[in-house]
Amino acid sequence: MTKSPYYFAPKPLLNPRARIFCFPYAGGTSSIYFDWPDYFFSRQIEVVAVSLPGRGARFGEPFDASIEAAITNMVDEFLPYLDRPFYLYGHSNGALYCYEFARQLLNRGQLLNCRRVFLGAKAAPRITYRRDPLHLLNETDFRQALAELGGTPQALLADEQLLTLLSPMLRADFKLGFDYMSTEPQQRLQQLPTTLIYGTQDVDVGAQAMSAWRELLPQAELESVAGGHFFIHHQQALLVDLLLTRIPM
């Protein structure tokens, strides 16, 4: 089976028992999930690090016009890989992709094998942000905001040429997240098991912002991981352990 350009499994399994599809945060690439197969291998779960156009190995490809369009462009290509139980994880902006992916699968009648959705470090779509829209900041303020968020390596922030090269991609990602407005709640999607995860030291996306997802997903449970917005890196083992407690052996 020819793999979609969106589909990247760092350590592919010949016959996985299940799959987990992982969506990166704004400015992130599929590489943020490259270590995850080590945690899931013993359960024969294949980790799929979703590869988006314009980022990482697909740098230079046109960005999608919206998160809805991004999912529409990829969803058909993922259908062959939904033939067994699967899970979804999205971090920060990736949580919006994750939710929209589940929503479009539901509309196509393809959500049957989805066992749980994990949404990390992202306020519900209708929440008012504490910050100004990042993609509209001038370059000086934009770089300061990147430094405050804590997810951009210091070496990158100090590299003028590289940051200038990557700035359009980062702004495009932040704009996609800012513009996304979810549709009205859908009853069947509300019944999908969902875990909302926030960092206990995240100054932008705390328990209240994450809990607002219950407007769309009223049955969602709320969990926390010690750390800031990028606990996906600083507390990787704790985060994956939390996910695995919700995934049957």
Side-chain angles (χ1 to χ4, degrees):
M1 188 184 300
T2 302
K3 289 291 193 296
S4 160
Y6 292 94
Y7 188 110
F8 183 79
K11 294 183 179 179
L13 300 179
L14 184 61
N15 186 30
R17 180 177 64 86
R19 293 186 173 98
I20 181 166
F21 297 91
C22 303
F23 294 83
Y25 49 74
T29 69
S30 57
S31 65
I32 67 177
Y33 296 108
F34 281 9
D35 293 337
W36 281 36
D38 295 338
Y39 298 95
F40 289 91
F41 178 79
S42 64
R43 298 201 189 182
Q44 287 297 288
I45 298 174
E46 184 173 72
V47 175
V48 179
V50 178
S51 180
L52 299 171
R55 305 149 182 87
R58 302 183 67 183
F59 187 81
E61 295 184 31
F63 299 111
D64 293 299
S66 66
I67 288 177
E68 295 92 330
I71 298 302
T72 298
N73 290 338
M74 76 173 71
V75 70
D76 282 339
E77 299 184 28
F78 275 76
L79 295 182
Y81 310 106
L82 308 181
D83 60 338
R84 60 202 67 206
F86 67 91
Y87 302 83
L88 306 175
Y89 179 80
H91 194 86
S92 195
N93 245 33
L96 302 179
Y97 283 85
C98 191
Y99 176 80
E100 180 64 20
F101 189 67
R103 194 186 71 79
Q104 291 197 27
L105 287 181
L106 173 64
N107 290 342
R108 292 166 177 259
Q110 299 290 336
L111 200 60
L112 181 63
N113 285 332
C114 186
R115 298 296 186 261
R116 182 172 289 271
V117 173
F118 299 95
L119 305 177
K122 186 64 178 180
R126 297 188 180 97
I127 286 292
T128 300
Y129 289 84
R130 182 181 68 85
R131 297 177 180 273
D132 293 329
L134 295 183
H135 63 285
L136 297 180
L137 296 176
N138 63 51
E139 195 63 22
T140 299
D141 291 343
F142 182 66
R143 296 183 182 192
Q144 179 62 34
L146 291 179
E148 291 174 0
L149 280 172
T152 307
Q154 288 299 318
L156 192 158
L157 290 171
D159 190 322
E160 182 70 26
Q161 284 188 315
L162 184 57
L163 195 56
T164 298
L165 179 66
L166 295 179
S167 182
M169 180 266 287
L170 292 165
R171 288 182 182 274
D173 269 354
F174 287 125
K175 182 178 187 303
L176 289 173
F178 186 81
D179 288 347
Y180 180 75
M181 289 295 291
S182 61
T183 58
E184 290 304 308
Q186 295 173 277
Q187 185 176 1
R188 287 182 57 204
L189 196 59
Q190 290 177 355
Q191 297 168 0
L192 182 66
T194 304
T195 302
L196 310 170
I197 309 169
Y198 69 96
T200 55
Q201 281 84 53
D202 190 337
V203 298
D204 285 321
V205 187
Q208 182 177 359
M210 288 300 297
S211 295
W213 276 100
R214 288 176 171 151
E215 178 186 345
L216 298 168
L217 304 161
Q219 304 303 316
E221 63 174 0
L222 183 65
E223 296 289 343
S224 64
V225 172
H229 190 71
F230 289 96
F231 58 81
I232 188 173
H233 295 307
H234 307 139
Q235 298 288 3
Q236 179 176 269
L238 285 177
L239 171 60
V240 176
D241 283 347
L242 172 59
L243 270 55
L244 288 173
T245 63
R246 270 63 175 181
I247 298 176
M249 295 288 290

